[in-house]
Amino acid sequence: MASPSSSANVMLAIFEKKTVSLDLYRPLRNYIVFNYSEREAQNLEDDLQTIKQYRSEIERVPADSLPARRDMLQNYCKALCAVESRFPISPDKDHINSVYFTWYDTFKIKQKAVQQNIHLEKAAVLFNLGAVHSQMGLSLDRSAVEGRRQASHSFIAAAGAFAFLRDNVAMKASMGTSTTVDMSVECAGMLERLMLAQAQECVFENTIAKGSTPGVCAKISRQVGIYYEEALAALNVAPLTYHFDKGWLAHVQLKAALFYAEACYRYGMELHEKEEIAEEIARLKSGISALSEAKKTSSKGAAQQLLDAINKLDANLNQNLARAVKENDRVYLMRVPQASSLPPLPAFAMVKPMPMNDVLDASKEKMFASLVPDNSAKALSRYTEMVDDVIRAQAERLQQGSELARVKLKEMDLPDSILALEGNLTLPMALKEDVDAVQICGGPAGLEAELQQLNDLKRVNQELLIQTEELLQKEATEDAQFRSQFGTRWTRPQSSTLTKNLQDRLNRFAGNLKQAAESDTRIERSVRDHAALMSILDRRPIESALPTLARPIMSLDANEDAIAGALKQSLRQLEGLGAQRAGLEDMLKEMKRKDDILPKLMTSTGSHEDLFRKEIAKYDHICEEISKNLEAQEQLLLQIQAQNVDFASTFNLEDYKASRERTYKQIEAAISKYQEIKENINEGLKFYVTLQDAITNVKQQGSDFVMTRNMQCREMMDDVQRQMSGLSFQENKGSNGYNYPSAAQSHQVTRSNPQPPADPANIPNAVRPPAPTYQPPHQPAMPGYTQNPPPYGAPQQQPPPPYNLQAPGPPTQHQQQPPPNHEYGQPAYPGWRGPYYNAPPQQPAPLQQQGSMPRPPYTVPSPYHLPPHQSGYYQQ
């Protein structure tokens, strides 16, 4: 696959212009002494020496590094700007007339320019700056990616220097008869294109190295060819014709053809992938033709590397062409279009000239800063005030004209009425923003989904509440069954005593849910009642709900279109006048920014007043344009006013305005009601989420309570069975019941170690009471999420007794073991303590009081409160 990478080293650099020795030090110093003082000249000695050094370095053959040479040229260019504004150099007898700048043509060394014009010196320095940048680009190692990137940057800088020369200095340096072609506007433009071509070429080579797609490579390659073609076009017309060596022309022409053919080659690869064989054949033929033509006319004087690259690319083009023709003849059978009928190849510019304004900005240059005569400074200040007055007055006139047009159109309801006639309806900005906010949230149609979300959250809360109540009820039922079964032996506190706090909170939650359901019903009723009102907010776009300005049903002369068309035309003219005013204001500001008369003040020998009148006259034509604009607007507004009267009467505009205002009010009312309902729904969602957290918390407390009570139940069952089997501990024989400390006491109070019981086997004729066996209780099915919860207060169905006693039998081995040393309130595993078993520790009660009821542990305050941010809609 051929690429011009093999021709990477075949690029062009520009040589610097040559000059002759020139002494600037003595003429400038003499001018300072004559016009200021010797002391001033002594104070500026360093600046004078700097200028002298810069000029001497320009004259010498460059011996230092290219970056150092570049920096010196930039500094000298800025120094020349300082000299230009303070030292008048011209043939005038009152000016510095002993300085002659001489520069030789770079491409025709025998031609030279000699002028008493500092602009010639500046132009030559800018030319040399561009030449040095081009030499830097050529000196870099472009065989690597980084080297090509730096080279591209150098060529871009060279293009910027030549562009700055063309746009700012070349014309001033060409005044007079003694000029050279190399510093003409045409030559500077040609060199800018050439440098951009070489910069884009470096980018193309890096693109190939990165393996970019053929389509991208084709676009970048085509732009390289375009830059070379533009440079070639400039070389073939005057004044550059016959001014450059034939090798230059051959190089540029071959490069242009090479990169055009390269673009055809890459673009053909992309077409082949898309199976667009016919166009591929046409593109490949076009590239081959371009290469063939270039080799015929420009092969002499070209570098051999460039010719080799062209031959290699030509071979690849022919190879791909043969393949495409073969495939087309056998498979596709497409008609090949003519190359002239194809659209231009796409191109993409990756480079542009570097802006040199900041690089060459001399506004901060301190050189000769003190050389501003008092009269010149005062004159400059006065002139600046005059310009400011002109601009301020004209700007006020422009602003008043624009405001007048806006007010008049507003009074006539224009252009809204014209837009309404065309169907381009608009809402007021504030109302439009409110409607957009409603529609982004889903609009009234989305309220149903939010109501469903409310119902879902309410159902989840109800189910959680029922599950918690059934959990506590189940435990209470089991406790009551054991109490009925074992009588006085079942001495632990009743469940209702311990769960009173939880039951109270569940009752409050049930009341809250009932009130919330009533609020939900009111919201749903409000949505239904106002659905017709809010339906207008679902119109998309909302402007479709606005009334239209219709044509009259009956017309005598059928001139409606003419009336509307005349009014539209007048409005377009008024808009054009407004755009013109904006452009005139920008012109004033730009002219003031560029208006620097200090050099003229310092070189002027006549009256400052005459200079002021001449300079301020530059603004007269803009002031005249502003006056014409305002007069035209005044006449046009009178015409629009008369046309609008006919328009309003023809199209019944007053009725339309009344209908439109009614629609605006309907939309506002719908927005207000939607926002009210939306706020209530959001409040309900927050309420249900908060309540769900509270019920979940209570359910967890109930689960902890039931787990602890189950552990107590198993312990007490073991003791009761041992009592009934005659294996009770000696210390419990005289006890009438058990003492149940709170969960907080279970970690502090321990029972004394009981004495080992007597072995029933050694007791004669021992009566063995029946030993009841623990059976796990039947778990009732929990209510499903699809079932409707029972109303609060309805009687709960009691679950069947979970424990059944078996027939008496001999005691088992595990019933004869001594009981573990723990209380009934001891936690299930060491260190565990339920979050609400936090009653203060109690001292063990005396034996005669051990049967009394212990203090309920569930006495903590309720953590659930309505959030302070809720408005109370769900508290009614």
Side-chain angles (χ1 to χ4, degrees):
M1 182 164 44
S3 74
S5 299
S6 58
S7 64
N9 292 326
V10 185
M11 290 186 179
L12 298 177
I14 316 299
F15 292 111
E16 290 188 52
K17 291 175 66 66
K18 303 299 181 182
T19 186
V20 297
S21 179
L22 174 65
D23 179 22
L24 284 178
Y25 173 83
R26 184 57 54 186
L28 296 184
R29 193 181 193 284
N30 291 340
Y31 181 85
I32 296 173
V33 172
F34 182 79
N35 291 278
Y36 298 92
S37 65
E38 176 64 29
R39 182 176 181 179
E40 189 69 31
Q42 294 174 0
N43 293 337
L44 296 174
E45 181 66 23
D46 291 342
D47 293 343
L48 292 170
Q49 290 293 339
T50 302
I51 287 290
K52 180 180 179 180
Q53 180 183 354
Y54 285 156
R55 193 55 171 80
S56 63
E57 291 178 356
I58 287 289
E59 298 166 3
R60 293 198 304 265
V61 177
D64 48 4
S65 65
L66 289 174
R69 185 75 174 175
R70 174 202 60 197
D71 296 340
M72 185 275 297
L73 289 169
Q74 291 176 174
N75 292 333
Y76 185 43
C77 187
K78 290 186 284 187
L80 288 176
C81 294
V83 171
E84 175 189 1
S85 62
R86 292 165 176 84
F87 299 93
I89 300 176
S90 74
D92 194 296
K93 63 178 181 178
D94 294 327
H95 293 173
I96 303 175
N97 53 18
S98 61
V99 173
Y100 291 85
F101 298 103
T102 303
W103 287 94
Y104 292 93
D105 193 303
T106 300
F107 308 104
K108 298 290 184 181
I109 194 62
K110 294 182 179 180
Q111 299 179 8
K112 68 178 179 179
V114 180
Q115 296 182 20
Q116 291 174 294
N117 181 6
I118 197 172
H119 293 294
L120 179 64
E121 185 85 350
K122 289 178 62 178
V125 171
L126 285 171
F127 186 96
N128 285 356
L129 179 60
V132 168
H133 277 297
S134 72
Q135 295 169 24
M136 292 173 61
L138 199 64
S139 65
L140 291 167
D141 178 15
R142 296 190 303 282
S143 62
V145 172
E146 181 61 22
R148 289 191 292 265
R149 187 190 66 80
Q150 295 178 3
S152 176
H153 183 78
S154 295
F155 290 131
I156 289 172
F162 289 121
F164 190 86
L165 169 63
R166 177 197 60 201
D167 297 336
N168 298 280
V169 188
M171 285 295 297
K172 299 177 183 177
S174 299
M175 295 179 181
T177 57
S178 181
T179 60
T180 54
V181 175
D182 60 346
M183 287 193 296
S184 64
V185 173
E186 293 81 4
C187 186
M190 183 276 296
L191 293 175
E192 177 211 14
R193 296 289 101 181
L194 178 61
M195 294 299 107
L196 287 177
Q198 297 186 156
Q200 180 91 0
E201 184 176 347
C202 293
V203 174
F204 171 72
E205 292 171 357
N206 276 346
T207 305
I208 294 295
K210 290 190 297 184
S212 300
T213 61
V216 173
C217 296
K219 292 179 181 179
I220 298 177
S221 175
R222 182 67 193 107
Q223 187 61 48
V224 178
I226 290 174
Y227 284 142
Y228 276 117
E229 290 168 6
E230 291 173 349
L232 180 63
L235 286 170
N236 287 326
V237 296
L240 304 184
T241 310
Y242 307 118
H243 192 76
F244 286 84
D245 185 75
K246 292 183 179 180
W248 270 66
L249 289 171
H251 176 87
V252 174
Q253 185 171 0
L254 288 175
K255 284 275 189 171
L258 172 66
F259 281 96
Y260 172 76
E262 183 74 30
C264 292
Y265 176 70
R266 302 286 175 179
Y267 195 65
M269 295 171 63
E270 184 180 44
L271 292 173
H272 193 82
E273 293 176 359
K274 298 178 181 178
E275 297 186 355
E276 298 178 8
I277 304 300
E279 185 177 353
E280 179 191 4
I281 294 173
R283 293 293 185 186
L284 293 175
K285 288 182 177 180
S286 179
I288 293 172
S289 176
L291 289 181
S292 177
E293 185 67 24
K295 286 190 292 184
K296 289 179 182 179
T297 59
S298 303
S299 59
K300 293 182 180 180
Q304 186 60 42
Q305 289 176 290
L306 182 55
L307 295 175
D308 293 342
I310 289 177
N311 292 330
K312 186 175 181 181
L313 178 59
D314 185 60
N316 284 327
L317 285 167
N318 281 287
Q319 180 181 352
N320 283 9
L321 177 61
R323 179 192 62 182
V325 169
K326 183 177 179 180
E327 292 180 2
N328 189 46
D329 292 342
R330 293 185 176 182
V331 180
Y332 298 101
L333 302 177
M334 295 181 179
R335 187 181 65 84
V336 179
Q338 295 294 327
S340 59
S341 65
L342 297 175
L345 286 171
F348 187 72
M350 298 292 291
V351 297
K352 61 181 179 178
M354 176 187 293
M356 302 299 288
N357 291 324
D358 294 338
V359 176
L360 302 177
D361 183 16
S363 61
K364 298 180 181 180
E365 191 68 31
K366 301 299 183 182
M367 187 173 290
F368 304 115
S370 61
L371 286 186
V372 179
D374 292 340
N375 59 343
S376 297
K378 293 178 181 178
L380 180 62
S381 177
R382 184 182 173 201
Y383 175 77
T384 303
E385 291 177 0
M386 294 171 63
V387 173
D388 289 342
D389 291 342
V390 171
I391 293 179
R392 189 182 306 109
Q394 299 304 317
E396 290 178 357
R397 293 180 64 194
L398 292 171
Q399 184 177 3
Q400 290 172 0
S402 299
E403 183 65 19
L404 177 63
R406 188 189 66 80
V407 172
K408 290 290 185 181
L409 292 178
K410 186 68 175 178
E411 292 175 354
M412 293 183 284
D413 198 28
L414 291 174
D416 292 346
S417 57
I418 291 293
L419 295 175
L421 180 63
E422 297 174 346
N424 299 323
L425 306 174
T426 58
L427 284 176
M429 184 59 65
L431 191 58
K432 175 65 174 174
E433 292 175 354
D434 290 342
V435 172
D436 290 343
V438 169
Q439 293 184 345
I440 288 174
C441 295
L447 293 178
E448 293 296 332
E450 298 189 12
L451 290 174
Q452 183 60 42
Q453 188 177 3
L454 271 182
N455 291 329
D456 291 342
L457 286 173
K458 177 175 65 178
R459 176 176 53 80
V460 169
N461 278 280
Q462 290 173 342
E463 292 173 353
L464 282 174
L465 193 65
I466 292 173
Q467 293 171 10
T468 306
E469 290 176 341
E470 291 179 347
L471 183 70
L472 298 178
Q473 182 63 36
K474 176 176 176 294
E475 193 281 329
T477 301
E478 293 175 356
D479 182 71
Q481 290 174 350
F482 285 121
R483 192 175 306 280
S484 173
Q485 180 176 352
F486 296 109
T488 57
R489 292 187 182 90
W490 198 259
T491 57
R492 69 172 184 172
Q494 294 184 3
S495 297
S496 59
T497 304
L498 301 179
T499 60
K500 183 178 183 303
N501 182 268
L502 291 178
Q503 292 289 353
D504 291 343
R505 291 167 66 187
L506 292 176
N507 291 335
R508 286 198 302 273
F509 294 159
N512 291 338
L513 277 175
K514 182 178 180 181
Q515 294 179 2
E518 296 173 356
S519 298
D520 295 346
T521 302
R522 287 195 297 272
I523 294 176
E524 293 174 355
R525 187 185 309 115
S526 180
V527 171
R528 290 193 303 271
D529 294 345
H530 300 93
L533 172 64
M534 294 187 296
S535 62
I536 193 172
L537 298 178
D538 284 326
R539 301 282 290 273
R540 296 177 185 271
I542 187 63
E543 287 79 9
S544 62
L546 296 177
T548 57
L549 182 59
R551 297 176 178 273
I553 299 176
M554 297 184 61
S555 176
L556 298 178
D557 49 7
N559 62 345
E560 299 88 354
D561 292 337
I563 293 175
L567 183 56
K568 292 177 186 178
Q569 179 64 25
S570 298
L571 290 175
R572 282 194 291 268
Q573 294 176 4
L574 186 64
E575 185 179 359
L577 290 176
Q580 184 184 13
R581 285 196 300 274
L584 291 172
E585 186 173 4
D586 293 339
M587 288 176 60
L588 279 174
K589 294 178 180 178
E590 183 65 16
M591 183 176 290
K592 178 182 181 298
R593 187 183 68 82
K594 294 181 177 180
D595 193 5
D596 181 15
I597 67 167
L598 180 59
K600 297 180 180 179
L601 286 173
M602 297 178 66
T603 58
S604 176
T605 57
S607 171
H608 286 169
E609 295 298 329
D610 294 338
L611 179 62
F612 290 163
R613 283 193 297 270
K614 180 180 177 181
E615 294 296 325
I616 208 72
K618 299 192 299 255
Y619 299 89
D620 290 346
H621 73 283
I622 299 182
C623 297
E624 293 174 1
E625 292 293 331
I626 292 175
S627 298
K628 292 179 181 178
N629 181 282
L630 296 177
E631 291 174 3
Q633 176 178 278
E634 184 178 358
Q635 297 298 323
L636 189 58
L637 284 174
L638 294 175
Q639 177 181 327
I640 290 174
Q641 190 171 3
Q643 292 173 340
N644 190 61
V645 172
D646 295 340
F647 179 81
S649 60
T650 302
F651 289 90
N652 199 8
L653 196 57
E654 294 301 324
D655 291 345
Y656 164 73
K657 291 180 181 179
S659 176
R660 183 183 61 185
E661 291 301 321
R662 287 194 297 270
T663 305
Y664 287 167
K665 292 181 180 179
Q666 180 183 357
I667 294 174
E668 291 173 353
I671 291 174
S672 176
K673 179 53 65 177
Y674 174 85
Q675 292 173 343
E676 175 188 341
I677 294 175
K678 181 74 172 177
E679 182 179 355
N680 290 336
I681 290 177
N682 290 338
E683 184 180 346
L685 293 174
K686 294 177 183 177
F687 167 81
Y688 282 124
V689 170
T690 306
L691 184 61
Q692 182 177 348
D693 293 340
I695 297 177
T696 302
N697 191 8
V698 172
K699 182 179 179 182
Q700 182 61 43
Q701 298 172 23
S703 298
D704 296 341
F705 168 76
V706 170
M707 181 179 66
T708 303
R709 293 279 287 182
N710 287 339
M711 290 189 298
Q712 292 178 353
C713 177
R714 287 192 296 270
E715 294 172 0
M716 181 168 284
M717 283 288 297
D718 291 342
D719 282 355
V720 169
Q721 290 176 358
R722 282 193 293 270
Q723 289 179 14
M724 296 176 66
S725 302
L727 299 178
S728 301
F729 293 113
Q730 185 64 31
E731 62 181 11
N732 291 330
K733 288 182 179 181
S735 175
N736 293 328
Y738 294 89
N739 181 31
Y740 296 93
S742 65
Q745 290 176 290
S746 64
H747 292 278
Q748 300 174 7
V749 181
T750 58
R751 299 175 59 181
S752 59
N753 293 329
Q755 297 296 327
D759 188 354
N762 299 327
I763 301 175
N765 301 324
V767 179
R768 302 173 185 266
T773 303
Y774 173 76
Q775 298 289 339
H778 172 69
Q779 297 293 337
M782 300 301 291
Y785 278 82
T786 58
Q787 298 175 353
N788 294 325
Y792 305 117
Q796 300 288 336
Q797 183 178 1
Q798 299 296 334
Y803 296 99
N804 298 317
L805 293 178
Q806 296 180 353
T812 59
Q813 183 67 26
H814 73 274
Q815 292 173 337
Q816 300 177 7
Q817 301 298 326
N821 182 19
H822 56 201
E823 297 289 347
Y824 298 136
Q826 185 169 339
Y829 49 86
W832 180 90
R833 179 177 297 177
Y836 281 80
Y837 285 85
N838 53 5
Q842 300 178 358
Q843 298 298 326
L847 290 178
Q848 63 271 19
Q849 297 179 358
Q850 285 184 1
S852 62
M853 196 69 66
R855 178 183 178 184
Y858 286 87
T859 57
V860 296
S862 170
Y864 170 71
H865 301 283
L866 281 175
H869 61 272
Q870 291 189 1
S871 63
Y873 187 82
Y874 279 79
Q875 295 176 342
Q876 299 177 2

